[in-house]
Amino acid sequence: MPFVKIEITKEGVTREQKQQLIKGVTDLITNTLNKDPHLTHIVIQEVELDDWGYAGEQTSVLREKGVTADKK
């Protein structure tokens, strides 16, 4: 029984985007590892920006400075 936990910052990810993540990861595990999708569990946990940090700063502070995780 595969279990995958996805942690993302809480920045307005839509229900549809979460569904795409769940479907995409389930399909990847099914196709790569030949696992039953009905036994594959995906959990998405959203973390507040104040509770996530990198480079020595909170993500909330980095966002205020204009630093984003958007693809360039």
Side-chain angles (χ1 to χ4, degrees), residues 9-59:
T9 53
K10 194 170 189 174
E11 295 185 85
V13 176
T14 67
R15 183 178 190 178
E16 291 76 20
Q17 289 171 318
K18 291 176 187 178
Q19 177 57 41
Q20 288 178 353
L21 281 172
I22 292 167
K23 175 85 168 95
V25 171
T26 299
D27 289 348
L28 179 65
I29 290 172
T30 298
N31 296 330
T32 303
L33 301 178
N34 195 35
K35 297 296 183 180
D36 184 345
H38 296 99
L39 299 177
T40 300
H41 299 263
I42 313 296
V43 173
I44 298 172
Q45 182 175 6
E46 293 181 283
V47 179
E48 295 290 339
L49 295 178
D50 284 344
D51 298 331
W52 192 299
Y54 63 96
E57 293 204 61
Q58 288 172 294
T59 302

